[in-house]
Amino acid sequence: MSPEENLLAAVEQGVKIYGFSSHCPVPFENKWSINREKLPDYLEEIEELKKKFAEQIEVYKSMEIDYIPGIISPVSDIIQQSKLDYTLGSVHFANQFDDGRYWEIDSTTPKFKLGVEEIYKGDVQKAVVDYYERIRMMVREARPDIVGHLDKIKIHNSNEYFFDEEDSWYKNEVNKTLEEIKSAGSIIEVNTRGMYKKLVEEPYPGKSILREIKEMNIPICLNSDSHQPDDITKKFPETAELLYSIGFQKMRILHQGEWVDMEFDKNGLKI
Ligand SMILES: [Zn+2]
């Protein structure tokens, strides 16, 4: 679907502020990232849509930027030159196989297992620690405005048991990561994609992490991580209610070019 079709659907669904965040180019082949040669067209298209839809919806230009040390990060030249309105930084690749292939943490469970076996000799804890360490490195080095789908590595626990999210080592990794995010001043994305894809029952991050986030007073925003028009606001009402029940009353939102803390309820932002 084209960006314009997505935007039309967003307007239809009552969205007032919309950020485009396609996957940024990476220097190896994959199915979902913007092709490097097509990046200027993407950026230009969003700028045109901003003007075209100015009366109906606020539009912002961004990308979901991978963090791979020395390869790509929210502060890479290609990102800086893109003059994004905000940066969304996510870790999808926590390590590499011996032959140099990147190991993706949120691909299929068999592929996840293959990485755990080959790179970590079956030690899941080490793999998870590396994932969170990479998020911390990203936050320290690049301070993205928003940190994407924080605990996405839990996705495979729905298919089979890999680790216990209540274990103290895991909570410790998460908490260390929250501390870094807090001191960097980044916003944590609450992402509903796993819920409407029926992969997990909670958003990324889940309830117990959200309670910590609230306790630490770290700002949040809500995002569906949609890849098609039908998904733009999926699971927003129930997630907004969940957030409210945890004590969140505001989200940090880019509005008229400024980050502001805006009230929300299950019907959306109180704009
Ligand atoms: Zn992602």
Side-chain angles (χ1 to χ4, degrees), residues 23 64 90 92 106 149 152 191 225:
H23 286 273
E64 184 181 5
S90 298
H92 303 99
D106 56 350
H149 49 64
K152 200 173 188 188
N191 178 315
D225 200 344

Side-chain angles (χ1 to χ4, degrees), residues 4-242:
E4 180 156 2
E5 283 167 304
N6 276 284
L7 209 47
L8 284 165
V11 171
E12 182 93 345
Q13 290 169 41
V15 174
K16 304 281 192 323
I17 303 173
Y18 188 96
F20 281 100
S21 54
S22 291
H23 286 273
C24 76
V26 286
F28 50 87
E29 224 175 278
N30 69 23
K31 290 192 220 66
W32 58 88
S33 299
I34 306 177
N35 194 306
R36 204 183 170 109
E37 289 77 60
K38 291 193 179 141
L39 181 60
D41 290 346
Y42 165 76
L43 299 169
E44 202 184 302
E45 192 172 1
I46 308 305
E47 287 298 339
E48 277 165 17
L49 289 172
K50 275 188 193 182
K51 290 181 213 136
K52 190 169 174 185
F53 283 77
E55 300 292 309
Q56 300 164 71
I57 187 167
E58 267 184 64
V59 176
Y60 291 103
K61 180 181 70 177
S62 186
M63 285 192 272
E64 184 181 5
I65 305 150
D66 272 285
Y67 176 74
I68 308 174
I71 303 287
I72 184 81
S73 122
V75 289
S76 294
D77 288 348
I78 187 176
I79 303 302
Q80 308 247 323
Q81 286 152 9
S82 298
K83 305 226 176 307
L84 304 177
D85 295 318
Y86 65 95
T87 53
L88 166 62
S90 298
V91 170
H92 303 99
F93 305 98
N95 212 326
Q96 277 171 284
F97 290 97
D98 281 347
D99 64 5
R101 273 177 306 126
Y102 290 94
W103 175 57
E104 203 186 323
I105 61 97
D106 56 350
S107 180
T108 62
T109 297
K111 283 187 185 161
F112 176 76
K113 272 171 90 166
L114 192 69
V116 172
E117 291 305 324
E118 290 192 9
I119 304 168
Y120 298 98
K121 311 284 174 271
D123 190 336
V124 178
Q125 183 171 337
K126 268 198 181 142
V128 174
V129 168
D130 267 5
Y131 169 71
Y132 279 104
E133 175 55 23
R134 206 160 258 206
I135 298 176
R136 292 192 288 270
M137 284 166 72
M138 170 180 78
V139 169
R140 274 197 298 272
E141 285 174 23
R143 295 174 179 257
D145 292 311
I146 306 173
V147 176
H149 49 64
L150 187 73
D151 67 349
K152 200 173 188 188
I153 200 161
K154 74 182 175 190
I155 191 172
H156 305 287
N157 276 335
S158 324
N159 290 335
E160 62 182 87
Y161 177 81
F162 286 99
F163 60 92
D164 190 339
E165 289 167 56
E166 293 304 312
D167 270 357
S168 58
W169 69 265
Y170 182 77
K171 288 185 166 225
N172 186 37
E173 285 305 313
V174 170
N175 285 343
K176 277 200 299 194
T177 310
L178 295 182
E179 294 287 352
E180 292 276 2
I181 294 172
K182 167 104 184 163
S183 54
S186 300
I187 300 162
I188 293 180
E189 174 201 62
V190 180
N191 178 315
T192 61
R193 184 167 177 81
M195 297 164 80
Y196 63 79
K197 289 298 223 178
K198 301 198 167 25
L199 300 168
V200 283
E201 287 177 7
E202 296 184 329
Y204 312 119
K207 256 181 264 174
S208 68
I209 300 178
L210 285 167
R211 281 193 200 100
E212 289 292 328
I213 292 170
K214 176 70 190 113
E215 194 75 17
M216 291 172 72
N217 208 14
I218 300 170
I220 55 158
C221 65
L222 184 58
N223 184 13
S224 63
D225 200 344
S226 67
H227 292 43
Q228 55 179 26
D230 281 353
D231 294 341
I232 291 167
T233 52
K234 267 199 187 149
K235 294 284 177 190
F236 274 14
E238 41 277 78
T239 307
E241 283 191 320
L242 169 73

